[in-house]
Amino acid sequence: MPRATNPIDETGKQVAANIKRLRGSMQYKDLAEKLAEVGRPLTPVAIRDAENGKRKVDVDDLMALAIVFEVSPLTLLLPESGSRDITTRITGYPDEMGSNVAWLWARGDEPLELPQDPALSDHSGNDRAIALFRLHARPEIQARNMTAGVTMWLPDDAEAATQAEKAALVESARRSDAQLIRGSRG
């Protein structure tokens, strides 16, 4: 007797649609070759079946696909848009939500639900819920040492990049690193 398995649900359907979107005009055979190169061989038929919702994509497939497509795994899991005006559903959550909420939750920025206390007009309940969620939802993430990398790709000649442009880019990278560290602490 065959083993009972869960059907492909909302998130699986989104993954299928995103594989199709990200594959674009790439042939199934070419995508299969790229997946084999990263150590996750899938046949062209398996890829087609995944796109059509006939085959589940497991987490290892998902990671390999993200590497091959050069995107975050979240790009495969969630809608293309992060708009509050475009709704989505995710497996395990009973209600439809704005795509922005799904993205904020998946990135570890905010919980799916925020307290709705009309007595708190200053949003302090939301701030506390967000801080607690961030504390548990993601580790403290050390920033990459980007300063050296940014200065290496800048052109050396003065006409192509002034010292002010270089300084602004380096400062932007430094601030980005600092925000990442601050953001991870909640």
Side-chain angles (χ1 to χ4, degrees), residues 22-161:
L22 292 167
R23 183 180 61 79
S25 62
M26 184 189 312
Q27 298 294 312
Y28 291 116
K29 178 179 154 287
D30 297 333
L31 180 53
E33 288 172 3
K34 288 180 180 236
L35 287 165
E37 287 172 14
V38 299
R40 192 69 181 173
L42 292 177
T43 66
V45 171
I47 297 167
R48 186 191 68 220
D49 287 350
E51 274 188 10
N52 295 326
K54 295 178 182 173
R55 177 190 182 276
K56 286 187 176 185
V57 174
D58 69 26
V59 292
D60 294 312
D61 297 340
L62 185 99
M63 296 302 275
L65 285 161
I67 289 167
V68 167
F69 288 137
E70 298 179 348
V71 298
S72 163
L74 295 178
T75 303
L76 286 160
L77 288 167
L78 298 171
E80 180 178 11
S81 171
S83 171
R84 71 175 49 118
D85 299 325
I86 298 173
T87 60
T88 191
R89 298 186 76 85
I90 58 174
T91 303
Y93 191 75
D95 301 319
E96 205 169 54
M97 67 189 75
S99 296
N100 64 320
V101 173
W103 273 98
L104 289 166
W105 169 74
R107 289 187 340 188
D109 293 335
E110 293 184 6
L112 283 175
E113 296 180 3
L114 291 171
Q116 301 296 322
D117 187 349
L120 298 174
S121 61
D122 64 354
H123 303 288
S124 61
N126 288 355
D127 293 344
R128 184 174 190 284
I130 290 169
L132 287 172
F133 176 76
R134 288 180 181 171
L135 183 66
H136 299 288
R138 61 185 184 198
E140 184 167 329
I141 303 168
Q142 284 189 328
R144 296 181 188 203
N145 183 1
M146 295 291 290
T147 307
V150 170
T151 58
M152 286 193 294
W153 58 261
L154 289 170
D156 286 332
D157 86 359
E159 290 178 16

Side-chain angles (χ1 to χ4, degrees), residues 3 13 19 21 27-28 46 64 76 92 103 122 131 152 175 179-180 183:
R3 188 178 76 159
K13 292 173 187 172
I19 292 170
R21 176 178 60 82
Q27 298 294 312
Y28 291 116
L76 286 160
W103 273 98
D122 64 354
M152 286 193 294
R175 264 193 254 134
Q179 288 171 354
L180 180 61

